[in-house]
Amino acid sequence: MIATQQAINMFVQETGGWAASQLEACTRCGMCAEACHFYQSSANPEYAPVWKLEILKRAYEQRFTLVGKFKTAIGIDKKITDQDVAHWSELNYYACTVCNKCAMVCPMGIDLGTLLHTVRSGLAAAGMVPEDLETAVMKQVIEGSPLGMTASVWDSRLEWVADEWEVDIPRDVKGADTLVVFTSIEVMKFPTNVAAIAKILNAAGEKWTVSSSAREVVNFGFYEGDQEHEKLFMRRLFDGAKELGVKRIVVTECGHAYDALRFHAPNLLSEANDYEIVHITGVMADLVKSGRIKLQEGFYDNVGTLTLHDACKIQRKGGYIQEPRDILNIIAPKSFKEMTPNQEEAICCGGGGGVIAIKAADPIRYDVFTLKIDQVNKIGANMVTMTCSNCRLQFTDCMDHFKLDWKITGLAQMVADAMVE
Amino acid sequence: MDGKSIFDELKEKGVSRREFIKLSGAIAGAIGLTSFPSVEAQAGTSARFPRAYQPAQLVAKALASKPRIPVIWLEFQDCAGCSEALTRSESPTLVNLVLNMISIEYHETLSAAAGFQVEEAKRAAMEKYAGQYLLVVEGSVSPKDGGIYCSIGGRSSVDILEEAAAGAAAVIATGTCATFGGLPKAKPNPTGAVSVMGLIKDKPVINISGCPAIPEVFTGVVAHYLVFGTLPALDSLNRPTIFYGNTIHDRCLRRPFYEAGKFASSFDDEGARQGWCLYKLGCKGPTTYNACATLKWSGGLSFPVQSGHPCLGCSQPDFWDGGGFYQGQSAPLSKPAGTLGAMAAGAGVVLGVGSALANKQQKKNAKKSEPGEKGGSHELE
Amino acid sequence: MNWNDVLSFARGPLFQAALLIFIAGMLYRLVRVIGLGWSRNHVRPKKSQTKGVVMSYLKGILIWPFVPWVKNTFTKNPIIYLAGGLFHLGLFVILVLGTAHMLVWKSLLGFGWKTLPLPIVDWFAAATIVAMVVLFINRLINPVLKLLTGTAEWLNLLFVFVPMLTGYIMTHHLFFQYEVLFSIHMLSVDFLLIWIPFSRISHFVFYFFSKSIHGQEFAKHGVRA
Ligand code: HEM
Ligand code: SF4
Ligand code: SF4
Ligand code: SF4
Ligand code: SF4
């Protein structure tokens, strides 16, 4: 029962008027189910967003309301058990990407994503985080990166990238304006992205730098829901930024990292608001708009049909909805075609929220991707671009799994290629 | 009362046979007699009227053969309005006719005699007609505090009623005071007024409610008793269903406006002039059972709703406490007084603040018991 | 005990008690929730939060759910969305624009207003009843709703349905005597009033919290609400 107790304790701590008023507002209409790609692809009613929240709602009622206390006392409401905690751990970590799509359709406007994050906090406090995810978190605590990107690995990788693509990557430059923080996914798996971003910023004449201490922007503590870990990883970034004296932190193509840094950090660490925190998508759009970089119009018009996958945490939760479209309308005005639904209502790739890191969730994750396959096939696209490397990881993994031959790419890479000197 | 039939007495007053048959028809109509066999059987006249059964003849036969009915009329907490209505009725022929069918042996207001003299007459009549007389009661009874609030000749209304009811063939309560307590019983009911029905349990009590009771209804009931020797069928409130089977609303001439949702909003607006429904002005017609809308008042001239005034619901129990006369019927009877509402609100707030404090404490404790260094936790927003 | 007394009781003391319980209960819930505390949010918003909140209400009330195709997610079961919308619209029309109900407000608030003609309200009432039946059936067969629906949710439906149905039958003078239906109508309304603070029907209050939060959050993230 200790696990349960810790989960409930965390729920009790985290539930204030903000959460309570929304828990009270839910009418149990079930409409959020239709929004969730996990429910859509499996028809498993337990994947309804509101049901993933059930454990938090029960804790709230049983601990904070007179009626709930009374109902638990006489046995109408069952107390939360260890089995419940374990069950909701699976529901939340395996079958939720915290994409916040459900909040779009809830008629009461409940901000489900944030509440689901709170559920994770409780589960994490109870030590009920899936093993794979927990291992990755610990790796980030100890080595500084869940993908094992230690300082020396980082060093040699960046050197190699600079060599291979012949770009200058300014490192640990004190007094630079902008600190760019990459994800280990990019550095280890999509190095072209690193090169591309460096190329773009150099071409624009940005005074930028990377930092060897603030080298990993991925935040597995955020996936997990453990605030201490979350803060630890953020602090590493802010410490690095402080050391170099930068004004601005640019998050590269990683959704959850941007979400964590832009929208969570200010409430966890006071220094967060010392910096302007932006996503590379916004930076690129600004550079194009101000003419600091020039793109060749129609550069991609001969690639067939190109589409944009909206990343939940950069588009729906990050607000960069028009920016990537502005860019694509320059470099691929003819070949770019929208999927439906798109923008805020886009369907999540299914790999976010740490799901892709959990082996046991693989079948669920692949199931969800079938929705994406349908979407892409409907418009007959053969090339998909996106602004999040975690989505990109899911896409490339699913290319293998489903034997698809679409070309998967990142937006920064496309911009870099289409730049005219 | 010397064995003469009612017809004999009428003849003495110069009523012709022709007129008599006509009046019989009127009475038959008033009590709702139509040709149906059960009536024949009830009257035991099937042998005399084998084929063409005529209601009027049925009545005529009863009037021709039966003596007048002795009646004792008691008044308690009343205004004599019901008596007034009856004696001043504007359908004199019919009501007079019926008044001719009865012989009022005792009536406080109508008797010429007074004091011990009339009390003595009442005692004599009760003895002479024991088991035969009709007891009519007007006004409510007051048993509270030993009956001191309503006594006549030193005796309480309860005593008088019980004594008179003991020898009665049947009891007719006329007017809403007698039937349901009426005005004297209105909140806060200082005299503890009760209805006749509330006191007399061992005799049939027939209720003719209304404030005042419609004279034609009273006479109709008496005629029925006379013709058939029985009381008419009654509803759950002991009211004769022939007269109380429908609501005012059921038979209201403004009903089409109700259906169309056309309501007068004040007594002098266009709606009022157009004769629209008076629901919004407080009409209680939908829940009021009485014959006003069909028999009407003043010799069939009009009735309140027709004349532009909402029905007050005067024939229903507790109509004085049934909401304001001019307040729509859907409005609640009572609303929490300001102080009571404030108290409820206060109780809710106190309960809420108490819960909130307890919950805050819980949150603090949860933080303390958290293992490891978990301080600085922040509610996510 | 006859219907007359039942009616007087339901319109009088019981209604009064129900109203007091309603007031106390709702205030308790409201104060309890607000009393849990609201910590400050330090995130710098991307767009105007005021505008976000306004948009959130406009979309919530004007567009959702009467136009199911506004949001793509609604395409799966538009009938349910329409039924939900119609039910709430009907409820509003009946309770605010119906003559009988306006008179209730008038007696409580001290002022009245113009109402819709009965036949129009009546159509809404009929549509609302149909909508409730659709919602009921949906709750019976939809797998998610089966999971979410407990005794309390069934009671919610019942406690709203009985006044609705008795009101309709009463207005049409069908089947039973008027005061019988009126009595049941009022009894069920009284039970409803008592039930609301204990149930999720109270969402009509917390709607204003969650909807404001929605607009604020989405503006903060720079997204259309
Ligand atoms: C204090 C509360 C209420 C009172 C006093 C009240 C009273 C009434 C009355 C008197 C009528 C009939 C009007 C007529 O005969 O023309 C009526 C109709 C109706 N009532 Fe209520 N009511 C109340 C609350 C409610 C509630 C909460 C609901 C629904 C949940 C409701 C639903 C209806 C409906 C559907 C009709 C029929 C309207 C029509 O068909 O036009 N009532 N109500
Ligand atoms: S946040 Fe996304 S994945 Fe999670 S329940 Fe909501 S819709 Fe489903
Ligand atoms: S859509 Fe909103 S109100 Fe409906 S069940 Fe889901 S969270 Fe609750
Ligand atoms: S019922 Fe009305 S008219 Fe008859 S006695 Fe009572 S107050 Fe007078
Ligand atoms: S005036 Fe009264 S009795 Fe006549 S229809 Fe209107 S509500 Fe009914």
Side-chain angles (χ1 to χ4, degrees):
Chain A
M1 285 313 273
I2 288 183
T4 306
Q5 205 46 53
Q6 284 169 340
I8 294 179
N9 266 348
M10 182 53 80
F11 292 150
V12 166
Q13 281 179 50
E14 292 291 313
T15 307
W18 191 89
S21 62
Q22 297 188 83
L23 290 173
E24 294 275 2
C26 172
T27 62
R28 297 175 90 68
C29 67
M31 290 189 184
C32 44
E34 287 288 325
C36 181
H37 41 291
F38 287 98
Y39 173 72
Q40 280 180 25
S41 60
S42 68
N44 179 352
E46 287 213 286
Y47 290 168
V50 58
W51 189 250
K52 292 171 193 164
L53 214 56
E54 183 75 2
I55 191 165
L56 176 64
K57 183 213 120 198
R58 274 169 67 187
Y60 166 70
E61 283 182 352
Q62 298 181 4
R63 288 304 206 85
F64 285 157
T65 76
L66 294 181
V67 174
K69 278 180 192 159
F70 175 74
K71 277 161 98 181
T72 339
I74 62 167
I76 299 181
D77 277 1
K78 299 273 169 290
K79 283 211 168 95
I80 298 171
T81 63
D82 282 356
Q83 283 89 335
D84 290 336
V85 177
H87 183 63
W88 262 272
S89 167
E90 284 198 11
L91 289 182
N92 277 278
Y93 288 112
Y94 290 15
C96 175
T97 47
V98 204
C99 72
N100 218 30
K101 172 84 177 280
C102 36
M104 296 291 306
V105 304
C106 172
M108 303 303 287
I110 294 168
D111 200 37
L112 283 137
T114 311
L115 295 174
L116 287 165
H117 188 88
T118 306
V119 173
R120 290 189 174 209
S121 294
L123 299 172
M128 292 305 255
V129 180
E131 220 180 291
D132 298 348
L133 192 55
E134 193 54 35
T135 312
V137 172
M138 291 327 287
K139 221 167 158 183
Q140 186 169 4
V141 172
I142 296 161
E143 298 178 0
S145 159
L147 290 189
M149 190 178 69
T150 57
S152 63
V153 172
W154 183 77
D155 229 39
S156 55
R157 277 302 273 187
L158 282 198
E159 209 122 297
W160 172 74
V161 171
D163 256 18
E164 183 76 19
W165 282 274
E166 293 174 355
V167 287
D168 195 21
I169 303 179
R171 286 203 241 169
D172 295 318
V173 179
K174 280 212 166 82
D177 289 341
T178 299
L179 169 67
V180 176
V181 278
F182 288 100
T183 64
S184 50
I185 308 178
E186 289 165 295
V187 177
M188 308 299 282
K189 300 196 167 161
F190 305 121
T192 47
N193 241 33
V194 179
I197 289 169
K199 244 171 101 181
I200 294 167
L201 294 176
N202 287 341
E206 267 312 312
K207 280 170 74 184
W208 69 288
T209 179
V210 294
S211 157
S212 47
S213 58
R215 61 180 180 273
E216 171 64 291
V217 75
V218 159
N219 192 329
F220 266 52
F222 180 67
Y223 283 153
E224 179 198 28
D226 183 316
Q227 276 177 18
E228 287 318 305
H229 290 150
E230 208 180 318
K231 277 197 281 191
L232 173 67
F233 304 149
M234 286 171 180
R235 207 172 278 128
R236 286 176 182 166
L237 294 177
F238 291 127
D239 287 352
K242 196 171 176 193
E243 209 178 297
L244 299 174
V246 298
K247 294 199 263 313
R248 182 166 82 147
I249 299 177
V250 171
V251 180
T252 59
E253 299 200 334
C254 179
H256 84 277
Y258 175 69
D259 190 15
L261 223 50
R262 176 68 175 85
F263 300 112
H264 275 236
N267 285 330
L268 296 173
L269 302 170
S270 56
E271 61 261 44
N273 273 346
D274 296 344
Y275 305 97
E276 190 194 348
I277 296 163
V278 287
H279 189 256
I280 188 68
T281 309
V283 174
M284 293 190 301
D286 281 351
L287 293 180
V288 171
K289 218 181 195 170
S290 59
R292 286 170 64 192
I293 58 173
K294 284 223 157 33
L295 302 180
Q296 188 180 329
E297 285 178 28
F299 187 79
Y300 289 96
D301 270 348
N302 52 0
V303 294
T305 303
L306 163 71
T307 190
L308 172 74
H309 164 72
D310 286 287
C312 313
K313 302 205 176 108
I314 295 170
Q315 273 79 41
R316 172 162 49 249
K317 283 179 94 176
Y320 292 110
I321 289 171
Q322 203 43 49
E323 288 87 345
R325 292 177 165 78
D326 287 346
I327 293 173
L328 287 172
N329 282 333
I330 296 172
I331 58 180
K334 295 210 186 74
S335 59
F336 171 52
K337 228 173 164 175
E338 292 271 15
M339 295 185 266
T340 41
N342 55 31
Q343 306 189 11
E344 290 97 331
E345 286 165 35
I347 298 177
C348 170
C349 68
V355 173
I356 199 164
I358 302 165
K359 191 97 198 79
D362 278 356
I364 307 176
R365 176 167 62 88
Y366 289 133
D367 259 3
V368 167
F369 198 75
T370 56
L371 299 175
K372 210 79 227 177
I373 297 180
D374 286 348
Q375 265 196 304
V376 173
N377 284 346
K378 216 171 245 164
I379 57 165
N382 58 336
M383 181 169 172
V384 188
T385 188
M386 57 209 75
T387 56
C388 171
S389 313
N390 199 55
C391 298
R392 192 163 162 193
L393 204 56
Q394 160 79 338
F395 269 81
T396 43
D397 181 50
C398 289
M399 290 305 100
D400 274 354
H401 182 83
F402 290 104
K403 310 268 175 292
L404 297 165
D405 59 354
W406 313 333
K407 189 165 168 5
I408 307 302
T409 178
L411 187 67
Q413 201 179 321
M414 288 182 74
V415 168
D417 291 349
M419 258 191 323
V420 284
E421 302 297 325
Chain B
M1 300 301 298
D2 36 22
K4 274 194 242 168
S5 76
I6 297 168
F7 180 46
D8 295 338
E9 294 199 30
L10 285 170
K11 264 196 300 198
E12 278 170 24
K13 286 186 177 153
V15 173
S16 71
R17 181 163 183 88
R18 199 182 163 79
E19 277 170 317
F20 174 66
I21 293 294
K22 218 171 130 192
L23 289 172
S24 298
I27 291 175
I31 60 176
L33 280 185
T34 46
S35 2
F36 53 93
S38 64
V39 174
E40 251 177 85
Q42 223 177 350
T45 51
S46 47
R48 302 276 177 86
F49 301 96
R51 259 174 256 277
Y53 154 72
Q54 292 287 332
Q57 284 172 324
L58 185 68
V59 174
K61 188 202 147 261
L63 297 186
S65 60
K66 294 189 181 174
R68 300 207 300 175
I69 307 167
V71 165
I72 290 179
W73 189 298
L74 298 179
E75 281 177 78
F76 297 119
Q77 305 194 100
D78 71 333
C79 73
C82 291
S83 296
E84 287 280 344
L86 191 65
T87 51
R88 285 160 200 251
S89 162
E90 292 203 24
S91 32
T93 42
L94 188 63
V95 173
N96 281 348
L97 178 79
V98 173
L99 288 181
N100 275 313
M101 301 175 338
I102 58 179
S103 71
I104 298 184
E105 303 291 327
Y106 175 88
H107 189 299
E108 302 237 329
T109 319
L110 300 183
S111 296
F116 294 113
Q117 205 183 353
V118 69
E119 291 302 313
E120 177 51 31
K122 181 176 82 174
R123 207 195 45 74
M126 272 162 40
E127 255 170 38
K128 183 173 174 195
Y129 301 113
Q132 297 166 36
Y133 63 87
L134 270 181
L135 176 65
V136 178
V137 187
E138 182 181 1
S140 64
V141 197
S142 167
K144 193 176 167 190
D145 296 339
I148 58 169
Y149 303 115
C150 177
S151 61
I152 299 157
R155 298 178 61 205
S156 78
S157 54
V158 179
D159 265 8
I160 300 172
L161 175 62
E162 277 172 351
E163 182 198 43
V171 182
I172 297 179
T174 183
T176 301
C177 294
T179 52
F180 306 127
L183 172 61
K185 187 172 171 253
K187 275 175 198 147
N189 190 4
T191 65
V194 295
S195 64
V196 172
M197 180 165 71
L199 216 63
I200 305 298
K201 303 286 185 193
D202 57 347
K203 279 261 149 66
V205 175
I206 176 165
N207 282 336
I208 301 173
S209 63
C211 187
I214 301 177
E216 284 79 0
V217 174
F218 176 81
T219 52
V221 169
V222 173
H224 188 286
Y225 182 69
L226 187 87
V227 173
F228 300 122
T230 57
L231 293 172
L234 304 178
D235 70 5
S236 64
L237 290 171
N238 281 10
R239 297 177 298 196
T241 46
I242 347 166
F243 301 107
Y244 295 89
N246 292 308
T247 62
I248 304 303
H249 184 73
D250 285 336
R251 295 279 179 268
C252 179
L253 76 177
R254 294 180 189 244
R255 178 69 178 269
F257 294 113
Y258 167 89
E259 301 289 350
K262 293 196 149 110
F263 303 102
S265 294
S266 72
F267 285 103
D268 56 356
D269 70 355
E270 189 52 30
R273 275 187 283 278
Q274 297 287 328
W276 290 357
C277 169
L278 303 170
Y279 188 90
K280 274 169 93 172
L281 292 173
C283 185
K284 309 292 184 291
T287 51
T288 303
Y289 290 84
N290 206 344
C292 304
T294 34
L295 290 181
K296 303 196 176 167
W297 288 80
S298 308
L301 185 67
S302 181
F303 77 110
V305 172
Q306 185 174 354
S307 307
H309 193 282
C311 166
L312 301 181
C314 78
S315 59
Q316 293 299 112
D318 302 321
F319 81 99
W320 281 98
D321 301 319
F325 284 163
Y326 303 107
Q327 192 180 35
Q329 193 174 22
S330 53
L333 289 188
S334 48
K335 55 178 173 172
T339 44
L340 215 50
M343 268 162 67
V349 170
V350 167
L351 210 58
V353 169
S355 283
L357 288 178
N359 291 344
K360 281 236 153 144
Q361 190 55 43
Q362 245 193 102
K363 285 180 73 147
K364 259 196 207 139
N365 294 345
K367 240 173 229 181
K368 264 189 233 145
S369 65
E370 190 70 28
E373 234 228 326
K374 278 278 178 186
S377 159
H378 191 284
E379 191 207 337
L380 294 171
E381 299 198 17
Chain C
M1 201 73 174
N2 54 61
W3 286 109
N4 208 79
D5 295 342
V6 177
L7 184 56
S8 302
F9 179 65
R11 284 175 65 202
L14 188 59
F15 178 79
Q16 169 147 350
L19 204 61
L20 291 175
I21 292 174
F22 173 81
I23 293 172
M26 286 312 291
L27 272 168
Y28 151 70
R29 265 179 94 160
L30 208 60
V31 171
R32 192 196 66 213
V33 166
I34 295 173
L36 266 177
W38 299 70
S39 42
R40 239 194 80 174
N41 195 323
H42 301 280
V43 175
R44 278 195 291 249
K46 283 196 154 181
K47 286 187 183 165
S48 155
Q49 300 192 46
T50 323
K51 214 175 128 195
V53 173
V54 171
M55 281 312 290
S56 160
Y57 282 105
L58 286 184
K59 268 198 171 172
I61 294 169
L62 296 183
I63 301 179
W64 188 93
F66 309 114
V67 188
W69 51 90
V70 165
K71 287 194 175 177
N72 291 312
T73 324
F74 296 170
T75 45
K76 286 239 163 117
N77 51 2
I79 294 182
I80 302 309
Y81 287 88
L82 281 176
L86 197 59
F87 165 75
H88 284 92
L89 178 69
L91 204 62
F92 174 81
V93 169
I94 294 165
L95 293 184
V96 177
L97 302 177
T99 306
H101 298 137
M102 183 276 284
L103 292 174
V104 179
W105 293 111
K106 190 174 170 186
S107 87
L108 292 178
L109 304 174
F111 56 89
W113 47 82
K114 272 212 157 342
T115 52
L116 285 178
L118 196 81
I120 294 178
V121 179
D122 199 50
W123 275 108
F124 273 103
T128 309
I129 289 172
V130 173
M132 283 201 79
V133 172
V134 169
L135 292 173
F136 175 83
I137 294 173
N138 188 45
R139 220 166 244 287
L140 269 182
I141 57 174
N142 181 303
V144 174
L145 288 178
K146 270 200 252 176
L147 189 65
L148 293 179
T149 306
T151 322
E153 280 72 28
W154 290 123
L155 287 179
N156 288 348
L157 267 179
L158 184 76
F159 280 138
V160 180
F161 191 65
V162 175
M164 197 68 81
L165 195 67
T166 48
Y168 186 80
I169 300 177
M170 162 165 77
T171 306
H172 289 259
H173 301 83
L174 296 172
F175 313 129
F176 299 97
Q177 283 172 330
Y178 189 86
E179 70 273 22
V180 175
L181 286 164
F182 198 179
S183 303
I184 301 174
H185 190 63
M186 285 315 298
L187 284 176
S188 55
V189 168
D190 294 341
F191 284 127
L192 179 64
L193 276 176
I194 296 173
W195 174 249
I196 288 174
F198 298 102
S199 73
R200 296 202 161 264
I201 302 182
S202 55
H203 69 265
F204 68 88
V205 170
F206 294 104
Y207 174 80
F208 296 99
F209 286 78
S210 59
K211 219 39 189 167
S212 303
I213 288 172
H214 182 86
Q216 196 193 7
E217 282 303 318
F218 275 58
K220 203 177 286 160
H221 289 254
V223 187
R224 283 183 295 242

